[in-house]
Amino acid sequence: MAAVSSPFPLFINPSHSSNQTSPPPPPLYLYLTAMSTPHSFFFLLSVVFTCFALLSVSAEQQQMQTLTTKHPEYINPKLPPRTLSSSKKFEGSSDLVNLRYHMGPVLSSSPINIYLIWYGKWANSQKLLIKDFILSISSTTPSTKTAAKPSPTPSVSQWWQTVSLYTDQTGANVSRTILIAGEYADHAYSHGNQLTRLSVQQVIASAVKSAPFPVDHKNGIYLILTAPDVTMQDFCRAVCGFHYFTFPSMVGYTLPYAWIGNSAKQCPEVCAYPFAVPGYMGGGGPQALKPPNGDVGVDGMISVIAHELAELSTNPLVNAWYAGEDPTAPMEIGDLCEGLYGTGGGGGYIGQVMKDGGGKTFNMNGRKGRKFLVQWIWSPVLKACAGPNALD
């Protein structure tokens, strides 16, 4: 969809056990015999010094082993130690991150038009949940350009403010207004239920050619959302979602798009974490959290949708904002903060988040009283991962 030390037990070398005894000193008759030989005084003196050195080394080893084993350092694996910064303000911060602008466009025109393609069978309640999240991003109502009723802090629209800090070469910021401009439902699985990175572009072509969608080069994002029974190339193994742009040879136009799959039946422990956890963690790690809207698959999708929308808006043609030198495998503003949801997060710990009265976990508020758990994103100002629920 959508990057610590670990606690290890201390092992003592058995050959240096603290129970090991020192060799006994030479018997007295050796000293007496030695004194009857020439140079007995010097010989005796050397023997005394040797025994003293052996006893000293043995005592020092025992003391060191006692200090090492008596006071072990215990680390709670559910709350990893802070390794990147002593300040809670810079989760994920690093001087090694070189996020640069590569002179390409960002989605600065308002509003950003989202075209939803529902591939497969979707319940209306699931569609409404995803649409409520997308519409929670805007601080204004696109149709009337009036201020929308603000969601309680911390909110999804405040989260998007970090995305809007990114600019193009003219200084124009990513738009703060997002509109759902159209929807297309493909209930018949017109391209089968096993998609690839190429065949998903054919799904977009079908939607465009059937005329529900315009060809929106400047403001458009085409969002393909696949049902739980649809597989995708590399899904669960390497990706939970991805974005790119269509090829004119496949669609007829170059259009930014993103794909996100519902992992509920295939790999919720991978793509809907922390609402599901891998079986190998058992009882020794963090337990699964209760999703804010009661749907593990869709609640998990929402954070991946947020991840891809943020990256599409700042890097729509894969030539704008990213780290690294390879545009075919860019490290983008969502990738840099994957798995971070709150203050103190890192190393498998999601950070400090909130729970409502029913024990449901969230970190942001949306429209109509909705609550969501959404990952943080990289701030070009803080040079660190940032979210509206930060505690400092």
Side-chain angles (χ1 to χ4, degrees):
M1 233 174 233
V4 177
S5 59
S6 301
F8 292 98
L10 182 63
F11 293 96
I12 303 298
N13 188 336
S15 64
H16 293 132
S17 169
S18 58
N19 296 325
Q20 183 178 353
T21 58
S22 303
L28 183 60
Y29 74 84
L30 289 179
Y31 299 134
L32 297 177
T33 304
M35 291 182 67
S36 64
T37 63
H39 311 291
S40 59
F41 174 78
F42 295 105
F43 180 81
L44 176 61
L45 190 61
S46 64
V47 170
V48 171
F49 278 132
T50 300
C51 293
F52 179 77
L54 289 172
L55 291 172
S56 298
V57 170
S58 176
E60 183 179 359
Q61 287 177 341
Q62 289 182 354
Q63 184 182 24
M64 288 175 62
Q65 291 158 9
T66 301
L67 288 174
T68 303
T69 59
K70 188 176 181 181
H71 303 287
E73 182 181 5
Y74 294 99
I75 300 175
N76 183 354
K78 297 181 183 180
L79 185 60
R82 188 176 302 279
T83 59
L84 295 175
S85 171
S86 60
S87 169
K88 292 186 295 183
K89 193 170 184 177
F90 298 102
E91 284 76 17
S93 63
S94 172
D95 294 334
L96 300 178
V97 174
N98 184 23
L99 184 73
R100 295 190 298 114
Y101 177 56
H102 296 79
M103 305 306 290
V106 302
L107 296 183
S108 58
S109 298
S110 290
I112 297 173
N113 294 322
I114 303 243
Y115 299 94
L116 293 172
I117 300 175
W118 304 99
Y119 193 84
K121 296 176 182 178
W122 288 88
N124 286 333
S125 60
Q126 294 176 320
K127 292 182 178 181
L128 288 173
L129 176 55
I130 290 174
K131 289 191 288 185
D132 277 340
F133 169 73
I134 293 172
L135 294 175
S136 296
I137 291 174
S138 297
S139 55
T140 60
T141 303
S143 57
T144 62
K145 296 184 179 180
T146 58
K149 183 179 179 181
S151 302
T153 300
S155 67
V156 175
S157 62
Q158 291 172 329
W159 171 84
W160 189 261
Q161 288 176 12
T162 300
V163 181
S164 69
L165 294 173
Y166 289 87
T167 63
D168 62 15
Q169 57 186 313
T170 69
N173 294 80
V174 170
S175 173
R176 289 193 180 187
T177 306
I178 285 185
L179 170 69
I180 295 178
E183 297 180 63
Y184 175 73
D186 191 339
H187 299 305
Y189 304 84
S190 61
H191 295 276
N193 64 353
Q194 296 179 343
L195 300 178
T196 67
R197 289 176 179 261
L198 284 179
S199 67
V200 77
Q201 294 198 24
Q202 296 173 345
V203 174
I204 300 172
S206 297
V208 171
K209 291 174 182 176
S210 61
F213 290 168
V215 176
D216 193 344
H217 297 282
K218 188 176 180 182
N219 296 39
I221 288 178
Y222 296 79
L223 203 60
I224 304 95
L225 307 174
T226 53
D229 58 344
V230 178
T231 63
M232 166 61 75
Q233 176 185 355
D234 295 329
F235 186 31
C236 297
R237 184 185 66 82
V239 297
C240 299
F242 61 81
H243 76 91
Y244 206 59
F245 52 84
T246 61
F247 304 143
S249 60
M250 304 250 341
V251 181
Y253 311 92
T254 299
L255 304 171
Y257 76 91
W259 164 84
I260 300 96
N262 187 331
S263 66
K265 294 182 179 179
Q266 299 182 53
C267 57
E269 72 283 358
V270 175
C271 294
Y273 182 87
F275 305 130
V277 298
Y280 64 79
M281 297 180 76
Q287 302 301 305
L289 302 180
K290 197 171 182 180
N293 300 285
D295 190 319
V296 169
V298 177
D299 276 310
M301 279 185 78
I302 283 173
S303 187
V304 186
I305 291 171
H307 176 121
E308 299 301 337
L309 286 179
E311 293 182 345
L312 259 178
S313 298
T314 56
N315 196 28
L317 299 181
V318 200
N319 61 356
W321 288 96
Y322 63 88
E325 300 301 325
D326 184 2
T328 64
M331 184 67 67
E332 301 172 277
I333 68 171
D335 302 324
L336 292 168
C337 304
E338 193 164 350
L340 293 175
Y341 297 82
T343 298
Y349 174 57
I350 68 170
Q352 299 184 54
V353 295
M354 297 170 280
K355 286 187 178 180
D356 64 13
K360 297 178 179 179
T361 308
F362 69 102
N363 65 347
M364 297 177 201
N365 295 289
R367 69 196 301 259
K368 298 181 180 179
R370 297 280 200 186
K371 301 181 187 302
F372 305 102
L373 186 68
V374 178
Q375 71 153 85
W376 284 11
I377 51 176
W378 188 265
S379 166
V381 175
L382 295 177
K383 308 295 184 188
C385 299
N389 58 313
L391 299 180
D392 52 359

